Amino acid sequence: MNIRELRMSLGDTQSDFAMRYRIPFRTIQNWEAGIRKPPEYMMELLKQRVENDLINRKTFKLPEFSPKKKNLPQRKDYLGSLSWLKAVSEVLGNDTVFALDEALMIQGHFGGRNDEYLVWVYGDDSLRRFNGVVVIGNQISSDCIKENNGIKYTDFSRTLYDSFANENILDMQGITEALSHYYYSHNESFEGISIAPEYQRRFENLAEEAIDDYRS
């Protein structure tokens, strides 16, 4: 596949593709126009990144409100996060898997926000027809999925992985609070958490912040 085919497989504009992989916009233009040719190692790296992002699309920008999209049930109209997420799940479909902040709320590690707007999920791209829905992936292994009262969500280790993968656009307050709660509820230990090697150092730093929050 050439650069244009890689970009089109993601449905990205040239600007989107450049932003996603932090490549200068003019470089993308030159590659696609044949003015310059990308190095072979760069093509192989991009092919691997695109293949991974087709399965787990690391979102690089948050959705803006649109009057043309449908609205989800609002958090303020429900008592408790679980009742709200149950209503959202019924609207989005039972195959939808909640991720990030919503997964942490279901796990009981994070209380959520009063002005909750964004809803992070794994599911079909058609879910983007709803305001506030952020689809971070179309597929996820069943080994990473838990269920509570008919609501599907990512397990704690997968939730952490997704938080680091999307950290550039994610408010990490929920993750830090969740780690602090996990540490407290597991006898001052992070035992049971599995972290991908590329995020090990970032986890260690965040864990220190979580312990400080717990002790403060």
Side-chain angles (χ1 to χ4, degrees):
M1 298 178 74
N2 58 33
I3 288 294
R4 184 177 186 279
E5 290 171 334
L6 288 175
R7 175 174 65 80
M8 294 298 291
S9 68
L10 287 166
D12 281 357
T13 64
Q14 288 183 335
S15 178
D16 288 342
F17 194 81
M19 188 184 302
R20 182 189 292 270
Y21 298 117
R22 299 181 181 181
I23 300 172
F25 174 69
R26 183 54 62 90
T27 298
I28 299 296
Q29 285 186 315
N30 289 340
W31 284 349
E32 291 198 11
I35 298 173
R36 295 177 59 187
K37 185 177 180 181
E40 289 188 14
Y41 79 89
M42 177 64 73
M43 280 298 298
E44 288 302 314
L45 179 61
L46 281 172
K47 286 178 182 178
Q48 293 174 16
R49 294 287 299 277
V50 169
E51 182 179 351
N52 180 64
D53 283 358
L54 281 171
I55 297 175
N56 178 25
R57 294 184 181 170
K58 298 178 178 63
T59 304
F60 59 94
K61 60 183 179 180
L62 297 177
E64 298 180 356
F65 177 84
S66 170
K68 296 180 180 180
K69 291 185 177 182
K70 298 180 179 180
N71 293 322
L72 292 173
Q74 296 184 36
R75 171 75 184 273
K76 65 181 180 61
D77 295 330
Y78 294 84
L79 292 174
S81 57
L82 282 181
S83 59
W84 169 60
L85 289 172
K86 179 68 173 176
V88 172
S89 179
E90 290 172 352
V91 171
L92 297 182
N94 294 331
D95 290 335
T96 302
V97 179
F98 289 107
L100 295 173
D101 282 1
E102 282 63 51
L104 296 174
M105 291 160 66
I106 298 169
Q107 295 162 14
H109 293 307
F110 178 51
R113 300 174 176 84
N114 293 330
D115 58 345
E116 203 78 49
Y117 171 67
L118 296 178
V119 176
W120 306 81
V121 301
Y122 279 93
D124 190 80
D125 285 338
S126 64
L127 297 178
R128 291 191 174 96
R129 69 185 184 275
F130 292 97
N131 274 311
V133 171
V134 186
V135 179
I136 65 172
N138 299 132
Q139 302 175 31
I140 184 172
S141 170
S142 59
D143 294 337
C144 300
I145 300 174
K146 301 290 184 181
E147 189 169 335
N148 180 3
N149 194 29
I151 309 173
K152 295 179 181 178
Y153 60 97
T154 56
D155 65 23
F156 195 69
S157 292
R158 180 63 189 219
T159 305
L160 285 177
Y161 174 89
D162 288 337
S163 71
F164 294 134
N166 295 281
E167 188 172 5
N168 61 316
I169 58 169
L170 181 66
D171 179 354
M172 296 294 283
Q173 172 195 346
I175 303 300
T176 305
E177 182 179 317
L179 269 177
S180 182
H181 184 273
Y182 187 100
Y183 183 76
Y184 168 77
S185 61
H186 287 75
N187 297 317
E188 300 189 359
S189 169
F190 293 116
E191 185 176 354
I193 297 178
S194 176
I195 299 296
E198 63 266 33
Y199 296 131
Q200 185 63 45
R201 179 169 295 181
R202 181 67 186 98
F203 169 74
E204 291 171 358
N205 292 335
L206 195 64
E208 288 184 11
E209 295 179 26
I211 292 173
D212 288 341
D213 284 352
Y214 163 67
R215 290 175 176 170
S216 62

